[in-house]
Amino acid sequence: MVKSTKSIKAFSYLRTSSAANIGEDKDSGRRQLLAIEGFARRSGIELVGTYHDEAVKGSDPIDTRPGFGEMLEALEANGTKTIIVETASRFARDLMVQEVGFAMLKSRGIDLIAADSPTSFLDDTPTARLIRQVLGAISEFEKAMLVAKLKGARDRKRRTGVKVEGRKSINEERPETVELARSLARAKPKGGKRSLREISAALAAAGHTTKAGTPYAPTAIKLMLGRPLQRTASSSTHGERR
């Protein structure tokens, strides 16, 4: 159910599937707009624009429709997040096209409402449920294929000796902190060597903490002490070389 509130703004979307419906003397577009305007008025929704695709079949994919494409650009430009159509079939007669289009709009945070039945795009019929599951499976498959493709590209680069960029280690991000940690580890106090927690506490006292402002965990200290320091042009040229 659409809430009655003046804060909601929407675009109306019209579609006529035949050239016979085009023209000022034809009533298909006019009928659709009247139905949308009536629903918007009753629901307290402000219509801020109308977009029309003429001679577009109900089975035509959403992304091939020029009028719909212009409307999406306008939605992105002015922040409107609602589209109203006369009926679900005016958006798309083909159920697959309906579900794909609805999913695309939903992913962009855009609401799609049919004036004759505001919940029609949310109906949980067996066919609609099956299509949504298939679309979800396709999406997961595409993500998995992309991850595999990127991993394959990185692996091929590594085999040729090319450095593959990724998340920088603490040795690369904070060489000064690593240098100090190693100095603390080398400068053994009386009674034995410093523990990882003691080194962490000493770093914190010197102002070397995590991005969250907390002392480094012992595992992080262990990494600082165990890995070769990756020097940069701005890091110190003195100290330990391994």
Side-chain angles (χ1 to χ4, degrees), residues 48-207:
V48 294
T50 298
Y51 289 83
H52 191 177
D53 271 312
E54 300 175 332
V56 169
K57 296 180 180 178
S59 58
D60 289 352
I62 300 301
D63 58 1
T64 65
R65 303 179 183 183
F68 197 85
E70 291 177 13
M71 181 173 61
L72 286 182
E73 292 180 4
L75 285 164
E76 295 291 341
N78 72 4
T80 300
K81 293 295 182 182
T82 304
I83 297 172
I84 304 177
V85 294
E86 180 196 22
T87 65
S89 63
R90 279 299 164 187
F91 176 64
R93 289 190 181 280
D94 185 282
L95 186 55
M96 178 65 82
V97 175
Q98 267 191 31
E99 290 295 331
V100 170
F102 177 74
M104 180 269 289
L105 293 173
K106 185 178 179 182
S107 69
R108 297 187 180 194
I110 299 171
D111 293 325
L112 179 64
I113 303 172
D116 70 327
S117 178
T119 63
S120 60
F121 291 106
L122 303 175
D123 289 344
D124 197 25
T125 64
T127 304
R129 202 157 52 237
L130 174 61
I131 292 174
R132 289 165 194 163
Q133 290 171 352
V134 170
L135 291 176
I138 292 173
S139 177
E140 288 300 316
F141 174 75
E142 289 177 341
K143 288 179 183 177
M145 289 297 292
L146 178 59
V147 170
K149 182 179 180 180
L150 292 174
K151 182 179 182 300
R154 289 194 298 269
D155 289 344
R156 286 191 295 274
K157 286 184 178 180
R158 288 192 184 100
R159 285 195 293 269
T160 61
V162 177
K163 182 179 178 181
V164 180
E165 291 298 328
R167 183 178 178 180
K168 291 184 177 180
S169 68
I170 190 171
N171 301 50
E172 295 173 305
E173 287 186 335
R174 301 192 175 182
E176 302 86 358
T177 300
V178 177
E179 283 282 19
L180 180 55
R182 291 178 175 176
S183 296
L184 291 168
R186 290 195 301 271
K188 298 179 181 179
K190 292 181 180 180
K193 65 180 182 179
R194 286 187 173 89
S195 69
L196 297 176
R197 291 186 183 279
E198 288 173 335
I199 294 174
S200 174
L203 287 175

Side-chain angles (χ1 to χ4, degrees), residues 231-237:
R231 298 182 180 278
T232 62
S234 61
S235 65
S236 174
T237 58

